[in-house]
Amino acid sequence: MKTAVNTATAPTLALAIADFKEITKARLAISVVFSSLAGYLLGAEQIEGVSLLLLAFGGYCMVGASNAYNQIIEKDLDALMKRTQNRPIPSGRMSVNKALFIAILLTVLGVVSLYVLNPKTAMFGAISIFLYTSCYTPLKTKTPLAVFVGAFPGAIPFMLGWVAATNEFGIEPGTLFMIQFFWQFPHFWALGWMLDDDYKRGGFKMLPTGKKDKGTALQIIMYTIWMLVISVVPAFGFTGRLELSIPAAVIIFLMGMVMLVFAFLLYERRDNVTARKLMLASVSYITLMQVVYVIDKFI
């Protein structure tokens, strides 16, 4: 009898874990936590294991809460799109009340964890949830400017790590914020280009011109250039304690040029294949750029 109960429980538990990962967008949350930890390592004069754990846990909770609120608000629209119709709420596997409980619990745990680090970190974490759910999410069906609004909460994690380590906000975390802020435009517009038909089923306005045209591609090029410029500015001594060696700046510049090449190719070809390559290049860039920054600090 015990064996039968255990056999029945195992798939149920596995499904519950899978749904939790889906409602919190685990892969996205982990990438955000990675950015926060990179920012912490850049800002910290002395690395503390407990602080890293609090930042990682609190960061995941905050991102997970934002994504859960988002899926609650967009449940009816998610049901219209192929890439989202199997999410826990539109598929019927999770009730709205359960999702809301998860979102509220994660919000409380996240804010408390980050507050233990310092109040500024908790404040920025709370601001990111508010902007994502109350501004970015409802604007997605109304105006392409939603991507601009969403870039603010999306740019907070890299900066958040520095604030968590120093309890200060200045030119250094401001620079980290700007790097990730400008990066989001080519990344999300490339993604929006690939998924344009599906987004339109849900009524989302993700591309700046509303079309997969040269105007959108040109804006992708411009924001990629700004991202690249800001990424290497710390090599010129204008950003306080946030420093970057010339060799590291060259490496980051070359990585950014890969993105820029794909942006120009998208302008020329205007196809989904190139948009996908740009999106993948952007994911590689933001991760490797942060790794280079951290390694450069410690060598």
Side-chain angles (χ1 to χ4, degrees):
M1 189 69 172
K2 278 187 178 180
T3 304
V5 172
N6 290 339
T7 303
T9 303
T12 303
L13 179 61
L15 183 59
I17 293 172
D19 282 344
F20 177 80
K21 290 166 63 178
E22 183 71 22
I23 201 76
T24 60
K25 292 187 181 178
R27 285 193 296 178
L28 172 61
I30 290 171
S31 70
V32 170
V33 168
F34 180 87
S35 293
S36 298
L37 294 179
Y40 177 91
L41 293 174
L42 291 174
E45 295 183 2
Q46 182 177 349
I47 297 171
E48 299 177 358
V50 174
S51 295
L52 283 172
L53 288 174
L54 284 169
L55 180 60
F57 178 75
Y60 188 98
C61 287
M62 301 299 267
V63 179
S66 296
N67 290 323
Y69 288 126
N70 174 266
Q71 291 183 47
I72 292 168
I73 296 168
E74 295 181 349
K75 64 183 188 305
D76 295 330
L77 301 179
D78 281 347
L80 302 175
M81 297 184 290
K82 291 180 181 178
R83 72 181 190 89
T84 56
Q85 60 191 198
N86 197 41
R87 283 177 173 173
I89 300 176
S91 67
R93 297 193 308 274
M94 182 182 292
S95 68
V96 170
N97 286 341
K98 184 176 181 180
L100 185 59
F101 173 78
I102 291 173
I104 293 172
L105 178 62
L106 291 176
T107 301
V108 173
L109 291 174
V111 170
V112 170
S113 298
L114 297 181
Y115 188 86
V116 172
L117 286 169
N118 60 65
K120 285 190 180 73
T121 305
M123 179 190 70
F124 282 120
I127 287 172
S128 72
I129 290 182
F130 173 79
L131 290 175
Y132 190 86
T133 58
S134 300
C135 300
Y136 168 67
T137 296
L139 284 175
K140 286 162 67 178
T141 57
K142 303 190 182 310
T143 172
L145 286 174
V147 174
F148 176 79
V149 174
F152 284 90
I156 286 176
F158 200 16
M159 172 202 81
L160 192 73
W162 185 287
V163 176
T166 65
N167 196 24
E168 296 176 357
F169 182 83
I171 186 66
E172 299 92 345
T175 302
L176 299 180
F177 176 91
M178 293 303 291
I179 293 171
Q180 200 150 1
F181 179 82
F182 284 112
W183 167 82
Q184 287 179 88
F185 294 94
H187 173 73
F188 281 107
W189 283 336
L191 185 64
W193 189 296
M194 291 165 47
L195 301 173
D196 186 52
D197 291 337
D198 212 22
Y199 275 131
K200 285 179 178 175
R201 290 189 190 97
F204 294 121
K205 305 178 187 297
M206 302 303 291
L207 298 178
T209 67
K211 301 176 183 177
K212 299 193 287 186
D213 58 9
K214 284 191 172 184
T216 289
L218 182 61
Q219 291 196 49
I220 288 174
I221 291 171
M222 297 305 298
Y223 277 97
T224 302
I225 291 172
W226 275 112
M227 175 205 75
L228 187 52
V229 170
I230 299 298
S231 294
V232 298
V233 160
F236 299 96
F238 303 138
T239 53
R241 289 202 302 114
L242 181 64
E243 299 174 342
L244 193 66
S245 70
I246 297 301
V250 170
I251 293 171
I252 289 172
F253 179 80
L254 292 175
M255 291 191 304
M257 286 301 295
V258 174
M259 271 187 67
L260 190 57
V261 167
F262 282 123
F264 274 106
L265 286 175
L266 184 61
Y267 180 84
E268 179 184 338
R269 298 173 182 174
R270 300 188 296 284
D271 63 352
N272 287 352
V273 173
T274 308
R276 177 175 173 77
K277 289 178 180 178
L278 173 59
M279 189 272 294
L280 293 174
S282 70
V283 172
S284 298
Y285 176 83
I286 196 66
T287 303
L288 294 175
M289 178 273 298
Q290 291 166 352
V291 169
V292 170
Y293 261 88
V294 172
I295 291 176
D296 188 59
K297 175 186 175 179
F298 290 100
I299 61 172

